[in-house]
Amino acid sequence: MKRLILPACLSLAIIVSGVALVFARHQTRILFAERQQLRTEQQQTTDEWGRLQLELATLGSLSEINHRARTELQMQIPDQVATLALPARP
Amino acid sequence: MLGLIALSALLLGWRAIDQQLIQHNALQQKGQSWQIRTETQPAYRGEITDRHGTVLALSTPLVTFSANPQVLTAQELHLPQLTRALGLPPGSLRTRLQQQAHKQYTVLKKRVPPDQAAHVRTVLKTHDIQGVHSTPGTPHRYYPTGEVFSQLIGFANQHGQEGLELAYDAHLRGTDGKLQIIRDGKGKAIQAHQASRLARDGQPLRLSLDHRLQYIAYRELKAAVTRHQADSGSAVLLDVTSGEVLAMVNQPGYNPNDRSARRGPSLRNRAITDVFEPGSTMKPFIVATALEHGQLDADSQIDTRGWITLGERRIQDQTELGQISLTTLLGRSSNEGAARIALSLDKITLWQQLDQIGFGRSLDTGFPAEATGHLPHDSQWSRMDQASLAFGYGLSATTLQLAQAYATLGNDGVRLPVSLLQQTGPVSGERILSADTARTIRHLLRQVVSPGGTAPQAAIPGYPVAGKTGTVRKIRRGSYSEDRYRAIFVGLAPLAQPRLALAIVIDEPNAGDYYGGRVAGPVFARIMREALRLMQIPPQPT
C-alpha cells in the first residue's frame, strides 16, 4: 500500500497541472482579447486626437486669423499714440 | 484516492469522445475558419511642437478598412451607406463582396484619411454593421503650419528627409511592431504568437521657436522679398538671454504637405546653410576689439582724410567725413574710419577677438549642412585683407552666426550657444567682451537708427533700439559686382537691457533700392515691433 502513495500523488499532480494548463490558456486568450480591444481603443483615441489637432491647427491658422481679423472685423495694430502701457501687476 | 483518479480519467475520456466523435464537424468548421496572419503594427513618428506646444508636425495613420465578406454580405441593407462613407463608386462594394463571397478577408479601402475614417466608424456604429475592421496603415505626416516652418522642419516619409526631421530622425522615429495574430471567423483576434514584437512609438521634439513670432517673421520677410523683387532672404530672431532661436525664416518657401513641391532651392534653410560676407555689420566688432584692448575709448575721435591707399587699392567713403566720433563712424558707416581702426590693431589680437565672437566657428546646432563660414587666419592677412575685414569683406558668416554675434553684444559680452530646441535649465556661456564694451557699442549703435544714421527706417516707436546696416556687393565671376547687392540689418531691442536680437538678410533686391537701411531696416522694425509686443516687453522712454 505504501508503495502506491507516491505514484498516486504524482498522477493527481499531473491531472491538476493539466487542468491548470487548460485554465491558464483560457485566461491568456481572454486577457489577450481584452488587451487587443484596449489597444484598438487606444489607437482610435490617438487617431482621434491627431485628427482634432489637425482640425485645431487648420482653424487656428495664424494667417487665417490675421486675414479675418483685418477684413471681417476691421482690426488693426494700434499706433504708439493710441497705446497706453500699464505697470505690470505685482 | 484511487477512486478520484479513476473518476478523473473517466471524465477526460468522455470529453475526448465527445469532442472527437460527437462535436467533430462543428469544431472542425470553427477551427478551419481561424487564420494566422502576420500583422504590422505601425509605430507613430514623434510630433514636433513649438515652445508653447503648438503642433508643427504630426503623424496620424491613414486607415485601411477590411471586411469578412461572409459576414458583411448578410447585412445587405446597409451596404449603400457604407459604400458612400468609404467614397467608393455606388454598387462596387456589392459586386466585390459577391466576387469574394468564398473568402473571409477582403480589403475595402486603403489609405483613408483620419477625418473620413472617423465618419466611416460613425456609420458602422449607427447602423450596427458587423464584420468590418479598421486597421491603422502607414502613418502620414502632416505639417499644419505649411510653408512658414518649411525649411526648418523639413519633411519625412518613413524616415526624415530634410531639416530637423532629418537631424532628429533617430529620436522621432519609432520601431514598427510585428504580431502574428490568430483570428477567428469573425475577424476577432484570439491569440498572438510568442515571437511577436510590440510597436514602440517615436519621441516628441519641442523646439525653442515660437510659432507666432515665426509667422510674423515669415509674413514680413515674404512681403519684403516680393516688394523688392529679391532673389531670396532669411531672418533669425534670437532670445538674447538664453540663446534660443525664436524664429528662423527663409524665402523662397514651399508647402511641405505637397509632395511635388518638395524639391529645388526652396528647401534650403538659408539662415543656417548659406554664407555671405557680412559687410558693414562687422564694424561694431572692430570697434569693440579696439575698446576692449584699450586702443580707443568711447570718446575717441578718428581722423578720416578722405581715403587710405594700400598698394593699388583705395578705401574711401562716399562723402568725406573728416574728424569723426565713434558714434558717427558707426552711424554713417564709415569704411575708412573702420579700416583705420582695424589697421591700428595687432593682427593676432584682432583675429583672436573675431574668432571668439564666433566668426568661422561651428554653432553645433546639429542642423543638416550647417555652414561654419570662414575667417582667414591672421598669418594669411595682407594689409588690404586686414583693412577689408573692418567693413566685412574677406570673411563669411551665416545669418544665424551674425544674429548670435549681436546677441553677444546684447548679453553684455557673454556668448551663449544657440539652440533650436527649448532650453529647460540655465545656459552657461563664455565671456568674450567686458560688459562695459558691450554696453558702449550698443549705445553707439543707437545712432544708426536715428535721423541722419543709415537706417532711420529701422527705428521702432516707443522702444530705443540698436542696430547696424550692411550693403554688400555680391561676388560675380570672381570679382565684386557693380549692380548686385545684399541688404543686411542686424539689431537689438530694447536698448537698455536687450531681450531680442534680429538679423535680416535680403539677397539681390531688384526693384531699385538696395541699401541695407532701406531694404532690410523696415523689415527689422516690423518684426521687432510685433515681437516686443507679443513678448510683453513694455515700451520704454526714448
Side-chain angles (χ1 to χ4, degrees), chain A residues 19-80:
Chain A
V19 173
L21 175 71
V22 172
F23 183 72
R25 287 211 129 194
H26 184 64
Q27 281 294 313
T28 311
R29 285 187 187 177
I30 292 176
L31 289 175
F32 178 75
E34 201 177 326
R35 183 189 162 281
Q36 205 63 14
Q37 172 69 27
L38 291 172
R39 169 82 196 170
T40 311
E41 267 173 46
Q42 182 214 20
Q43 205 121 40
Q44 283 177 4
T45 316
T46 313
D47 297 353
E48 179 69 2
W49 182 83
R51 194 179 66 77
L52 292 172
Q53 281 290 321
L54 289 177
E55 201 175 303
L56 176 72
T58 315
L59 295 175
S61 140
L62 291 176
S63 60
E64 181 66 17
I65 293 173
N66 180 50
H67 174 74
R68 290 175 70 164
R70 284 176 199 272
T71 55
E72 288 175 26
L73 303 172
Q74 272 86 43
M75 290 172 82
Q76 53 178 324
I77 296 162
D79 57 20
Q80 200 203 350

Side-chain angles (χ1 to χ4, degrees), chain B residues 354-429:
Chain B
L354 296 180
D355 172 63
Q356 278 194 323
I357 289 167
F359 291 100
R361 278 200 192 187
S362 169
L363 290 172
D364 294 323
T365 56
F367 197 88
E370 181 197 307
T372 50
H374 181 60
L375 174 67
H377 196 261
D378 61 78
S379 59
Q380 300 162 3
W381 294 355
S382 66
R383 290 281 285 169
M384 186 64 200
D385 292 336
Q386 190 173 349
S388 304
L389 280 178
F391 42 94
Y393 286 90
L395 80 166
S396 63
T398 62
T399 313
L400 182 59
Q401 283 178 316
L402 206 51
Q404 189 206 28
Y406 275 75
T408 302
L409 290 177
N411 197 33
D412 287 345
V414 177
R415 179 180 189 255
L416 298 179
V418 296
S419 172
L420 293 166
L421 304 184
Q422 190 171 33
Q423 300 281 16
T424 42
V427 188
S428 65

Side-chain angles (χ1 to χ4, degrees), chain A residues 4-5 7-9 11-12 15 19 25 28-30 32-33 35-36 39-40 42-44 46-51 53-54 57-58 60-64 66-67 70 77-80 83 85-86, chain B residues 1-2 4-5 8-9 12 34 41-42 44 47 55 58 60-61 63 114-115 118 121 134 136 142 144 179 181-183 188-192 198-199 211-212 215 219 461-462 529-530 533 538-539:
Chain A
L4 281 174
I5 291 178
C9 284
S11 309
L12 196 68
I15 291 166
V19 173
R25 287 211 129 194
T28 311
R29 285 187 187 177
I30 292 176
F32 178 75
R35 183 189 162 281
Q36 205 63 14
R39 169 82 196 170
T40 311
Q42 182 214 20
Q43 205 121 40
Q44 283 177 4
T46 313
D47 297 353
E48 179 69 2
W49 182 83
R51 194 179 66 77
Q53 281 290 321
L54 289 177
T58 315
S61 140
L62 291 176
S63 60
E64 181 66 17
N66 180 50
H67 174 74
R70 284 176 199 272
I77 296 162
D79 57 20
Q80 200 203 350
T83 311
L86 301 175
Chain B
M1 182 66 130
L2 278 174
L4 204 65
I5 294 171
S8 310
L12 285 174
W34 286 19
Q41 243 186 356
Y44 289 67
E47 74 209 45
V55 173
L58 178 79
T60 178
V63 181
D115 44 348
R121 286 198 195 99
S134 62
Y142 290 91
L179 291 180
I181 288 182
I182 306 172
R183 289 182 183 275
K188 205 173 131 192
I190 292 176
Q191 203 176 335
L198 296 175
H211 86 287
R212 299 170 306 171
Y215 168 71
R219 185 185 70 195
R529 181 182 155 179
E530 292 291 286
R533 185 173 63 81

